[in-house]
Amino acid sequence: MECDDVDEFPMLGDGQEDLGATVASRFRNSQALEHRHLCAAVEAMAQVLKDQNLPPSPTAYFAATMTSLERQASDQSSAADDEPVAAALCTFLSMVLPKVSQAVLRSKWEATLDSLVKFLKRNSVSAGTAKFGMKCISYLLTTGDKSNWLLVESAYGILLNYATDRRPKVRKRAHLCLEEVLRSYQCSSILVKASEGVEKIFEQFLLIAGGSNFVGTIGKPQVTSNGANGAMEVVYILNALKVIAPLLSKKVISKLLPHFQLLLQLRQPFLTSHVMSVLHALCISPTAELPASGLADLLGWLCLVVFDDQKSGDVIMFAARVLQHGMGKVHDLDQNLCADKLPAIFHSLAGVLAFQHEEAIHGASEALQHLVQNCIDEEMIKQGLNQLNLDGAKPAPIERICTTAESLLGHEYNTAWDIALKVISTLFEKLGESSCFLMGGVLRNLADLQKLADEDLTCRKQLHKCVGSAVAAMGPDKFLDILPLNLDCEELSESNIWLLPILKQHIVGGRLKFFTDNILGLVDRLHEKSKMLEVEGRPVASRNTQACVHALWSLLPSFCNYPIDTAQNFLDLAKKLRASLLKELDLRGIICSSLQILIQQNKKAQEEALDSLSSLEQVEGLEISLAEQRAKSRYNSKIASENMKILRKISPEFLSTLFTIFMSSPQDKRGYLQATIADIASVADKEVVKHFFIRAMQKLLKVTQEATKSGHARKSSMEVDGSNNEQTTASTRAQLLDLAVSLLQGLDVEAVNMLFAATKPALQDDEGLVQKKAYKVLVGILKEHGDFMTNNLDEIFELMVTTMPSCHFSAKRHRLDCLQYLIIHILMTGEERKNGGIAFFLSEIILAVKESNKKTRSRAYDLLVKIGHCLEDTENGGSQEKLHKFFNMVVGCLAGNTPHMISAAVTGIARLMYEFSELCLSVPDLLPSAFMLLKSNNREVIKATLGLMKVVIARLQAEDLQKHLKSMVDGLLLWSADRKTHFKAKVRLLLEMLIRKCGLEAVKVVMPEQHVKLLANIRKVNERKEKRRNSVSQDKLDETKSSHSHATTTRQSKWNHTKIFSEFGDEDDDDSDADMDFTQTTHSGIMSSVPKSKSSTLRSKNVRKSNKRLPDDLDVLGNEPLDLLDKQKTRSMLKGQQRKGQRSDSDDEMILDPDGRLVINEDEVGHSRKRRATDNGIRQDIDSRSQRSGQSKSHATSASLSKASNKRQKTAKSGWAYTGTEYKNKKAGGDVNREGKLEPYAYWPLDAKMLNRRDEKRSIAKKGLANVMKLSKQLQGKSVRQALSEKTTAQKRKQKSHNGKNKRKSS
């Protein structure tokens, strides 16, 4: 053990124990010499106190220790021999002082401090004595008198002297003690004197070092001259200043900064590093008082010293961090001074992006973004805009910064363009709308970069994001003034069509007037151009123009994202939107989504919910751009109210239009129309909504009456041909019910009652579609109008009971939604008389978990879980007893009469046990009953029970599983040999889960003898898997462990019916139980890809290598020199040079006509194919000749293989084997049919019905394709001639039979 262990010695709290005995017991067994001396000194003092009949209190030990120290200080003759004793006494005194009462210390404070100062001023003081002596002085200075500098000057000088000691541990202790003392002096009058002491000793050693070769002696402590000593002492003081500089007074700090500047001018990396560390400590300290001018000058020198010399990557990165915090400090102290110095600092940091050090580039990028965000303020931007309007004025600071940002797009920064674009994006966001005046040149340069080829621009994604930042900052109108779309030009390739997706994604806070006047004006011009192209016989160009029209319309939702002129200009836009809704079918979705965005945002703003939304986004970690924050900040409740007035004003016209469109639209086009009608109804006047609602109800009543009459007539006349009429009537009724659901948010109580009355007969209708829509109406009523449930509980309850037998399977999911609101309402309100209804509906819910429809099954699971949580909620009257009672009701369903009911009950129990793990043991007989079910002969019951076992194993603790392990294993082994429905694989998986949970030995004990081999096989397979995992290289393993060392967190997975009750048992991996266990610790696989941290990518050896020099043989047109300051010419020349020498094959180039259609010259294609075939033949002939001399006996055996490979090579590479030239028309273009051959090309048109989720729709679409596949199977393996001959024979037979029938009829 070392003496440093005494520092971690646990101090006693109350000071009443025998401190000497405690220290002796702590270090008695230590072999360290320092600890032995300590124990001897303590035992000697304890014996003295005992002889004098004094209690072993801290005060007594304090007096005895000080007496011994004074004796040691007075005896100068044996100082060297008694040094271990002195060290032991100082060590013990540092332990005693905190235990001594403040009253005793105040009385003996001055005498104790003087004694310690005299003791430490001796010539030969050991490291242990100095360390613990300084610790005692530090404690006395921090707890004693802080008003009289003369009393503490000598003791403080001791700490300063030891701060430059040659012994590292002593020097470190002195630095820590100085920090403690200065921190305690922060609010006292002697802080200035203490700070001046640090300044004097620093200047003293600077003068001493100045008389020698200061630079040559840095880092050479073995030199003993005064100059060398002074140089090293300067370094020691710099190390101390890293800790104590923020605690010094402002006056002293201002005097130290010029000295730091002189040290930087020496351009020595060792000194520069120390100075940067001190400067960084000053800049990051919130309490340090710095002079703004001195700090700004020092930061300027730091740029010159570090960046001009291109130090190592680590030094540059640290310097960038110092500049980042330093300029932030200057901005806080003096904004005007920061504005003057910022352009130079920004320019220096920007130059780092051209360096080769990866870590330096990232450090400079972070610093640049930080400077933009924190050092550029509104006053600075305003000043720059004012100077732009003055003729002959020098560039403003913000203008110089923008010029530097523009230079980052030069060729010398091409390897760091991805980093530079982030800086420019940040600058766009900070400048906001002012960027259109300051960053126009940057935007044009970004457009020039877009024209580069992909091999010249690898950061196109970052480029588009940067352009998007410009769109969000400037606004679309100002952005398009600088960079217009030019969609109405002659050639579409000359336009900026690539901007449309960027505009769509980043427009926020735009102007609706700009869209109405400019965008829709451009749309009208493109419409005219498309018609003209169609007349001219250019259909492809016409379609391209129409595509541009649709792309322009797709900008409408973005313009409706927090627009700033809704109240002023939406009325003009609304007229054009209504006209487009009626005429343009393809634009209805875009217009409806835009209206929804506009209404929803204003509703949230009017309800003052924007603040809560922003806080939610921050909590969830969602990034929100600065432009969106600005747009949201404009939407206060006043502006939202004005916007809502306009939206309410135009709602009748839009409702009328949407009603008309909705009733004439097919079913797959009504979704967005229904959502839009619902949003408009939520903001419209109640009377307006009621008017449209009554119209819909009148139509519904009329259609229902017609359906009833037609149904009675069909029954009376036994008609069977009215199915089409019946389907049309049912579809119309369903459509009107959907319309009623859309209007629910705007209906009053009277209208809701009317709708409920109209819905009740539809719940018992024979048509499943009508039932489904009726249940959706009822769900909407219960969701939107909470009071309706309270006022009509009995009627709703009776209705749900009555309609249960006649519920159609397609309406089951929506019926469960109704039951959810009904049951939870009964539980929350405590309706005791309705509690029996829960048991009545429980069997229906349990059976629903076995539905084949996935959504219905999921809804049944959710309903069980929500009921459980409602009963468990103690804040609303719930309790564990109620939850257990409900669980017992579910368990009671195991007594069902049919296997289907029993398996459904087992499935419901599994879901509840998965959600509420404590329910596993709440019913004592549950698990034994489940084990008994494993003896059943019904496979449906067995499948559900195995799923329950999987949940039990995953959710129960190992000690609880041990109690039922024997019965569980015996029950599972009953199906270990059953291969049908994969029961064998399921049992094996469950046994593996048991082994992982309880251990192999525990399972082996209860395993029957005849099945022990199964355990052995499982163990061997697991060992093989473990070996495969351990085969990963040690480097990757270490990297993965370090990346995942802090990623082991508890997670909560979701219920997965397929994984638990799947027909297949092999799809679950070894960690399938981990997917269900909430307490399972998540460990990613060894071989999984781990995202590297930022620090792992920043390595000093990683450099961005590129040739930033222009090539020596650069071709220049004529004798005119190349202007290197012209970025466009430089890029074009480099682009040509990089592509020079590449193989240009005219065969691979596509030729397009003016309309954009592909032009194929069949003659050239044929010649090129022949030429390639000839070249291949010549090449193969040469190869065969060169290898002929070396042929061996194996040539005969390999001839057939080489022939086959040559044939495959010709077929795959040259492509001439199956060209289809036999169908070529020699007289004209195109293909022709040939006798005895199949048709040259066959197409099967795509049908959208093939993607429909309904089986009957898909079957209709697949019918024709099935015939094609059937025919292809019949002709499989036959040649073309055989297939055609069979087809001809079949036709002849059909014709012959047909002729025979006609003859018989005629006879």
Side-chain angles (χ1 to χ4, degrees):
M1 300 178 69
E2 296 182 1
C3 190
D4 290 344
D5 293 342
V6 182
D7 295 345
E8 282 96 34
F9 181 74
M11 297 301 175
L12 303 177
D14 52 6
Q16 299 299 324
E17 292 85 351
D18 187 354
L19 185 60
T22 306
V23 171
S25 63
R26 169 67 177 82
F27 297 105
R28 183 177 290 114
N29 297 326
S30 175
Q31 298 299 321
L33 187 60
E34 296 85 354
H35 294 169
R36 287 181 158 186
H37 288 301
L38 175 62
C39 292
V42 171
E43 290 173 355
M45 284 187 287
Q47 186 63 38
V48 171
L49 295 178
K50 184 178 180 180
D51 294 341
Q52 296 180 3
N53 294 325
L54 295 175
S57 62
T59 304
Y61 278 118
F62 168 65
T65 307
M66 288 306 302
T67 302
S68 301
L69 282 176
E70 290 174 355
R71 188 182 302 113
Q72 288 284 332
S74 60
D75 188 4
Q76 299 291 337
S77 58
S78 58
D81 298 335
D82 295 339
E83 192 59 33
V85 179
L89 292 175
C90 289
T91 303
F92 188 62
L93 182 62
S94 65
M95 300 178 185
V96 171
L97 281 177
K99 306 301 177 185
V100 180
S101 64
Q102 293 297 319
V104 175
L105 275 182
R106 281 194 296 270
S107 62
K108 299 295 183 180
W109 179 77
E110 187 174 353
T112 304
L113 198 60
D114 291 340
S115 299
L116 287 172
V117 169
K118 292 178 182 178
F119 187 77
L120 293 177
K121 280 185 176 181
R122 297 179 305 161
N123 293 329
S124 58
V125 178
S126 66
T129 304
K131 287 171 54 182
F132 292 101
M134 286 187 291
K135 187 175 181 180
C136 296
I137 290 177
S138 172
Y139 181 78
L140 292 173
L141 291 178
T142 55
T143 58
D145 185 10
K146 299 182 181 65
S147 59
N148 192 346
W149 171 250
L150 297 178
L151 295 178
V152 301
E153 183 179 6
S154 57
Y156 185 76
I158 290 292
L159 299 180
L160 288 177
N161 291 334
Y162 278 110
T164 58
D165 195 271
R166 293 284 178 162
R167 292 166 291 188
K169 291 187 177 181
V170 175
R171 199 164 60 243
K172 181 179 179 181
R173 172 62 65 183
H175 298 168
L176 296 177
C177 291
L178 282 172
E179 181 186 9
E180 294 176 1
V181 172
L182 289 172
R183 195 176 299 279
S184 66
Y185 287 173
Q186 288 303 300
C187 299
S188 64
S189 59
I190 61 176
L191 176 63
V192 177
K193 293 290 185 181
S195 302
E196 290 176 352
V198 177
E199 177 201 355
K200 289 179 181 178
I201 192 172
F202 185 48
E203 291 178 346
Q204 174 187 348
F205 287 114
L206 277 178
L207 291 175
I208 295 175
S212 66
N213 185 10
F214 185 35
V215 175
T217 55
I218 293 298
K220 299 178 181 179
Q222 70 273 14
V223 182
T224 58
S225 65
N226 290 335
N229 289 339
M232 291 310 303
E233 270 75 13
V234 169
V235 177
Y236 297 154
I237 292 296
L238 287 175
N239 283 326
L241 288 174
K242 296 176 185 178
V243 181
I244 66 175
L247 304 174
L248 301 177
S249 64
K250 181 179 180 180
K251 180 180 178 181
V252 171
I253 293 177
S254 61
K255 292 182 179 180
L256 291 176
L257 293 182
H259 298 312
F260 295 157
Q261 182 174 332
L262 292 175
L263 293 176
L264 287 177
Q265 293 176 5
L266 296 175
R267 296 180 181 269
Q268 291 297 312
F270 189 71
L271 282 176
T272 302
S273 176
H274 282 76
V275 172
M276 284 195 302
S277 298
V278 178
L279 195 55
H280 183 260
L282 287 171
C283 294
I284 64 174
S285 174
T287 58
E289 299 180 0
L290 298 170
S293 59
L295 178 60
D297 294 339
L298 188 59
L299 293 175
W301 269 102
L302 182 62
C303 292
L304 295 176
V305 171
V306 177
F307 298 152
D308 289 354
D309 296 344
Q310 293 196 19
K311 307 288 184 181
S312 65
D314 294 332
V315 174
I316 297 175
M317 182 177 65
F318 186 59
R321 191 176 297 121
V322 173
L323 291 173
Q324 169 184 333
H325 295 292
M327 288 305 297
K329 198 82 171 179
V330 173
H331 182 267
D332 295 338
L333 297 173
D334 190 343
Q335 297 182 4
N336 294 329
L337 180 61
C338 178
D340 294 337
K341 299 292 184 179
L342 185 59
I345 301 294
F346 193 89
H347 181 76
S348 299
L349 285 170
V352 178
L353 300 184
F355 292 177
Q356 294 184 350
H357 304 288
E358 189 78 13
E359 60 273 22
I361 293 174
H362 283 278
S365 172
E366 291 181 1
L368 287 170
Q369 295 180 62
H370 185 273
L371 293 180
V372 170
Q373 293 171 349
N374 298 280
C375 297
I376 297 179
D377 50 23
E378 294 297 330
E379 185 63 29
M380 186 177 180
I381 299 173
K382 184 178 179 181
Q383 180 185 358
L385 294 177
N386 293 335
Q387 291 193 15
L388 283 176
N389 300 325
L390 299 178
D391 297 334
K394 64 177 183 179
I398 188 64
E399 189 177 355
R400 294 165 58 192
I401 291 174
C402 294
T403 303
T404 302
E406 184 177 355
S407 67
L408 293 177
L409 301 176
H411 176 71
E412 62 272 21
Y413 298 98
N414 64 341
T415 57
W417 271 344
D418 55 336
I419 305 296
L421 289 171
K422 293 181 181 179
V423 179
I424 296 174
S425 297
T426 308
L427 190 56
F428 271 121
E429 292 179 355
K430 186 65 178 181
L431 295 177
E433 295 182 356
S434 303
S435 58
C436 63
F437 304 105
L438 298 168
M439 300 279 284
V442 177
L443 187 57
R444 297 184 187 93
N445 276 275
L446 293 174
D448 293 338
L449 287 182
Q450 170 64 24
K451 299 176 183 178
L452 296 178
D454 290 339
E455 59 268 18
D456 300 326
L457 184 68
T458 59
C459 55
R460 198 173 300 276
K461 182 178 179 181
Q462 291 86 344
L463 173 63
H464 290 176
K465 188 175 181 180
C466 183
V467 176
S469 301
V471 172
M474 297 181 182
D477 46 353
K478 297 177 182 177
F479 175 86
L480 293 176
D481 287 341
I482 301 174
L483 205 62
L485 292 172
N486 294 330
L487 294 179
D488 50 355
C489 60
E490 291 297 329
E491 294 294 335
L492 199 59
S493 58
E494 299 177 359
S495 65
N496 290 323
I497 195 174
W498 60 276
L499 291 175
L500 289 175
I502 301 175
L503 291 169
K504 180 180 178 181
Q505 184 178 358
H506 293 92
I507 289 178
V508 59
R511 300 178 183 274
L512 296 178
K513 182 175 178 57
F514 179 79
F515 183 84
T516 305
D517 298 341
N518 296 74
I519 302 298
L520 292 185
L522 179 58
V523 166
D524 294 337
R525 295 196 299 272
L526 291 178
H527 266 305
E528 296 297 328
K529 180 180 178 181
S530 176
K531 294 178 181 178
M532 184 173 57
L533 292 172
E534 191 74 29
V535 172
E536 294 175 357
R538 301 169 62 184
V540 176
S542 177
R543 287 195 296 269
N544 292 338
T545 307
Q546 285 296 330
C548 294
V549 170
H550 191 275
L552 289 172
W553 268 106
S554 66
L555 300 179
L556 179 59
S558 302
F559 275 93
C560 291
N561 187 17
Y562 296 105
I564 61 177
D565 59 342
T566 304
Q568 295 79 18
N569 298 299
F570 183 68
L571 288 177
D572 297 333
L573 177 61
K575 296 177 183 178
K576 297 186 178 182
L577 295 183
R578 286 184 57 209
S580 300
L581 278 173
L582 294 171
K583 297 178 182 178
E584 303 289 342
L585 300 181
D586 297 337
L587 301 179
R588 288 176 179 175
I590 296 174
I591 296 174
C592 287
S593 63
S594 305
L595 292 174
Q596 292 178 49
I597 292 172
L598 199 61
I599 293 172
Q600 291 172 7
Q601 289 179 350
N602 281 279
K603 284 173 62 178
K604 290 178 181 179
Q606 194 177 25
E607 296 168 1
E608 299 181 352
L610 282 177
D611 293 339
S612 61
L613 178 64
S614 300
S615 62
L616 177 63
E617 290 172 344
Q618 292 175 0
V619 169
E620 294 179 353
L622 299 176
E623 294 185 359
I624 179 171
S625 64
L626 188 59
E628 191 169 355
Q629 293 178 13
R630 290 170 178 164
K632 284 185 176 182
S633 63
R634 301 190 191 104
Y635 262 60
N636 51 37
S637 57
K638 180 180 178 181
I639 294 178
S641 299
E642 295 176 356
N643 295 341
M644 293 297 287
K645 290 179 182 179
I646 300 299
L647 294 173
R648 192 175 295 111
K649 183 177 180 180
I650 54 92
S651 59
E653 291 81 4
F654 271 105
L655 282 176
S656 177
T657 304
L658 291 173
F659 262 54
T660 305
I661 297 173
F662 185 85
M663 295 304 297
S664 61
S665 298
Q667 185 177 356
D668 56 344
K669 302 292 184 182
R670 298 175 195 161
Y672 58 83
L673 293 171
Q674 188 176 356
T676 308
I677 292 173
D679 284 335
I680 295 177
S682 65
V683 300
D685 291 331
K686 297 289 185 182
E687 295 298 327
V688 174
V689 178
K690 189 174 182 180
H691 169 71
F692 287 99
F693 172 73
I694 292 175
R695 285 175 51 189
M697 289 298 99
Q698 289 173 350
K699 291 182 180 180
L700 178 62
L701 178 61
K702 182 179 178 181
V703 175
T704 305
Q705 291 174 351
E706 292 176 358
T708 305
K709 291 179 181 179
S710 62
H712 291 316
R714 188 169 59 256
K715 288 181 180 179
S716 61
S717 60
M718 302 297 292
E719 292 181 1
V720 295
D721 298 331
S723 58
N724 290 334
N725 270 336
E726 186 179 351
Q727 290 180 1
T728 304
T729 304
S731 176
T732 305
R733 294 172 64 191
Q735 193 172 3
L736 291 169
L737 288 173
D738 276 338
L739 202 55
V741 173
S742 304
L743 299 174
L744 268 173
Q745 297 185 41
L747 297 181
D748 54 12
V749 178
E750 182 182 357
V752 171
N753 293 329
M754 184 189 306
L755 178 59
F756 179 66
T759 304
K760 287 194 292 185
L763 293 174
Q764 299 181 2
D765 197 272
D766 296 336
E767 288 291 336
L769 180 61
V770 177
Q771 269 196 36
K772 178 180 177 181
K773 300 301 181 181
Y775 276 111
K776 287 182 70 175
V777 172
L778 185 56
V779 171
I781 293 175
L782 298 180
K783 180 180 179 181
E784 299 294 339
H785 300 272
D787 297 338
F788 184 83
M789 174 72 76
T790 306
N791 300 331
N792 302 273
L793 180 61
D794 295 335
E795 188 176 0
I796 296 173
F797 184 85
E798 183 180 356
L799 180 63
M800 297 303 294
V801 172
T802 307
T803 56
M804 184 178 68
S806 61
C807 180
H808 196 268
F809 69 90
S810 62
K812 181 70 69 174
R813 172 166 58 97
H814 302 288
R815 177 179 170 83
L816 291 176
D817 289 337
C818 297
L819 289 178
Q820 172 184 329
Y821 288 103
L822 178 62
I823 294 174
I824 291 180
H825 179 80
I826 293 174
L827 295 174
M828 297 297 291
T829 56
E831 291 281 348
E832 297 294 337
R833 56 193 176 89
K834 300 294 183 184
N835 283 339
I838 299 178
F840 180 80
F841 294 120
L842 187 58
S843 60
E844 181 182 1
I845 300 171
I846 292 297
L847 287 173
V849 303
K850 298 291 290 183
E851 288 283 342
S852 59
N853 187 279
K854 182 178 179 181
K855 292 183 178 180
T856 304
R857 193 169 62 239
S858 301
R859 198 61 52 88
Y861 284 136
D862 294 341
L863 182 54
L864 286 174
V865 171
K866 288 181 179 179
I867 293 174
H869 283 298
C870 180
L871 291 171
E872 191 186 29
D873 189 5
T874 56
E875 296 181 357
N876 296 308
S879 63
Q880 287 292 327
E881 291 77 11
K882 293 182 179 180
L883 177 61
H884 291 165
K885 183 179 178 180
F886 171 69
F887 184 67
N888 288 331
M889 294 169 62
V890 178
V891 173
C893 295
L894 290 173
N897 297 327
T898 62
H900 186 73
M901 183 64 190
I902 296 173
S903 63
V906 173
T907 305
I909 292 170
R911 180 65 184 98
L912 288 173
M913 291 175 64
Y914 180 86
E915 188 73 20
F916 309 98
S917 57
E918 66 276 4
L919 295 177
C920 295
L921 303 176
S922 62
V923 182
D925 298 333
L926 175 60
L927 291 181
S929 300
F931 301 149
M932 291 296 295
L933 290 176
L934 289 172
K935 299 180 181 180
S936 172
N937 293 327
N938 188 275
R939 307 190 72 84
E940 185 180 5
V941 176
I942 297 301
K943 176 185 172 183
T945 308
L946 290 177
L948 175 62
M949 293 297 102
K950 192 172 185 180
V951 174
V952 169
I953 295 172
R955 304 296 286 138
L956 278 184
Q957 298 296 328
E959 54 271 16
D960 296 327
L961 279 176
Q962 294 281 358
K963 302 175 184 178
H964 305 279
L965 192 58
K966 174 65 176 174
S967 302
M968 186 179 298
V969 171
D970 291 342
L972 292 175
L973 291 177
L974 294 175
W975 301 94
S976 61
D978 192 294
R979 296 180 180 274
K980 193 175 181 180
T981 62
H982 298 272
F983 280 178
K984 181 178 180 179
K986 283 177 175 286
V987 171
R988 182 185 179 93
L989 174 65
L990 293 175
L991 289 176
E992 291 179 0
M993 293 172 61
L994 279 174
I995 291 172
R996 286 196 296 270
K997 204 72 177 283
C998 303
L1000 180 63
E1001 294 300 326
V1003 178
K1004 188 175 181 181
V1005 170
V1006 299
M1007 180 71 73
E1009 187 66 28
Q1010 63 270 24
H1011 295 286
V1012 174
K1013 292 183 178 180
L1014 177 60
L1015 289 182
N1017 180 261
I1018 292 174
R1019 177 182 57 81
K1020 290 180 180 178
V1021 171
N1022 290 335
E1023 288 177 354
R1024 291 175 192 149
K1025 291 180 180 179
E1026 189 65 26
K1027 288 181 180 179
R1028 283 197 295 267
R1029 292 192 188 102
N1030 295 334
S1031 63
V1032 183
S1033 62
Q1034 191 63 31
D1035 295 339
K1036 293 184 178 180
L1037 184 63
D1038 295 339
E1039 181 181 356
T1040 307
K1041 286 183 177 180
S1042 64
S1043 301
H1044 287 282
S1045 59
H1046 300 290
T1048 56
T1049 56
T1050 303
R1051 64 186 173 92
Q1052 182 171 353
S1053 60
K1054 294 182 179 180
W1055 171 263
N1056 192 324
H1057 172 89
T1058 305
K1059 275 193 174 182
I1060 297 175
F1061 301 107
S1062 175
E1063 291 288 346
F1064 305 97
D1066 301 296
E1067 81 282 352
D1068 295 292
D1069 57 2
D1070 293 338
D1071 297 328
S1072 59
D1073 57 333
D1075 294 336
M1076 298 183 296
D1077 194 356
F1078 290 173
T1079 60
Q1080 182 79 16
T1081 304
T1082 305
H1083 296 281
S1084 299
I1086 299 297
M1087 296 298 292
S1088 62
S1089 60
V1090 182
K1092 296 183 179 180
S1093 61
K1094 185 176 181 180
S1095 59
S1096 65
T1097 61
L1098 303 182
R1099 297 289 183 262
S1100 59
K1101 294 183 180 180
N1102 293 343
V1103 295
R1104 291 177 177 250
K1105 297 181 179 180
S1106 68
N1107 185 12
K1108 297 178 183 177
R1109 295 179 177 271
L1110 295 176
D1112 296 333
D1113 57 345
L1114 186 65
D1115 292 337
V1116 183
L1117 295 177
N1119 296 324
E1120 182 181 354
L1122 176 64
D1123 186 4
L1124 298 178
L1125 297 180
D1126 191 336
K1127 297 183 179 66
Q1128 185 62 34
K1129 291 183 179 180
T1130 306
R1131 290 172 189 155
S1132 301
M1133 190 61 64
L1134 287 170
K1135 183 177 178 182
Q1137 285 295 121
Q1138 290 176 1
R1139 295 181 179 178
K1140 185 178 180 180
Q1142 296 180 355
R1143 184 181 64 88
S1144 60
D1145 191 356
S1146 61
D1147 298 335
D1148 298 332
E1149 296 179 359
M1150 293 188 299
I1151 304 174
L1152 302 177
D1153 66 356
D1155 293 338
R1157 291 176 293 190
L1158 184 64
V1159 178
I1160 300 176
N1161 193 332
E1162 296 186 357
D1163 295 334
E1164 293 183 2
V1165 172
H1167 289 312
S1168 63
R1169 287 170 179 168
K1170 292 179 180 179
R1171 183 171 60 253
R1172 286 197 295 267
T1174 304
D1175 294 342
N1176 289 336
I1178 295 173
R1179 192 178 298 109
Q1180 292 170 4
D1181 186 47
I1182 294 174
D1183 294 340
S1184 62
R1185 292 177 182 176
S1186 63
Q1187 296 175 0
R1188 190 171 298 166
S1189 58
Q1191 288 178 345
S1192 61
K1193 294 181 180 180
S1194 61
H1195 174 73
T1197 59
S1198 62
S1200 58
L1201 294 176
S1202 62
K1203 182 178 181 181
S1205 63
N1206 289 338
K1207 183 178 181 180
R1208 286 195 299 269
Q1209 183 179 4
K1210 291 179 182 179
T1211 303
K1213 291 185 178 181
S1214 64
W1216 55 265
Y1218 305 101
T1219 58
T1221 54
E1222 60 269 24
Y1223 297 106
K1224 183 179 178 182
N1225 191 349
K1226 298 180 180 180
K1227 298 180 180 180
D1231 298 318
V1232 294
N1233 292 326
R1234 298 295 186 187
E1235 184 179 358
K1237 294 183 178 294
L1238 296 174
E1239 293 184 5
Y1241 294 101
Y1243 298 95
W1244 182 259
L1246 295 177
D1247 192 350
K1249 294 179 181 179
M1250 296 183 69
L1251 303 177
N1252 199 299
R1253 59 187 179 88
R1254 301 184 185 278
D1255 294 336
E1256 58 271 17
K1257 301 289 185 181
R1258 288 199 303 269
S1259 61
I1260 294 174
K1262 292 179 180 178
K1263 187 175 181 180
L1265 185 60
N1267 295 333
V1268 175
M1269 300 301 296
K1270 184 178 179 181
L1271 181 61
S1272 65
K1273 289 182 179 179
Q1274 294 177 357
L1275 302 178
Q1276 186 175 3
K1278 299 179 180 180
S1279 64
V1280 176
R1281 189 177 299 277
Q1282 292 174 345
L1284 290 175
S1285 63
E1286 289 187 2
K1287 182 179 179 181
T1288 305
T1289 304
Q1291 289 177 351
K1292 290 181 179 179
R1293 290 175 182 174
K1294 187 175 180 181
Q1295 184 66 27
K1296 185 176 181 181
S1297 62
H1298 181 70
N1299 295 336
K1301 289 180 181 179
N1302 292 336
K1303 288 180 180 180
R1304 286 193 296 270
K1305 287 181 181 181
S1306 61
S1307 62

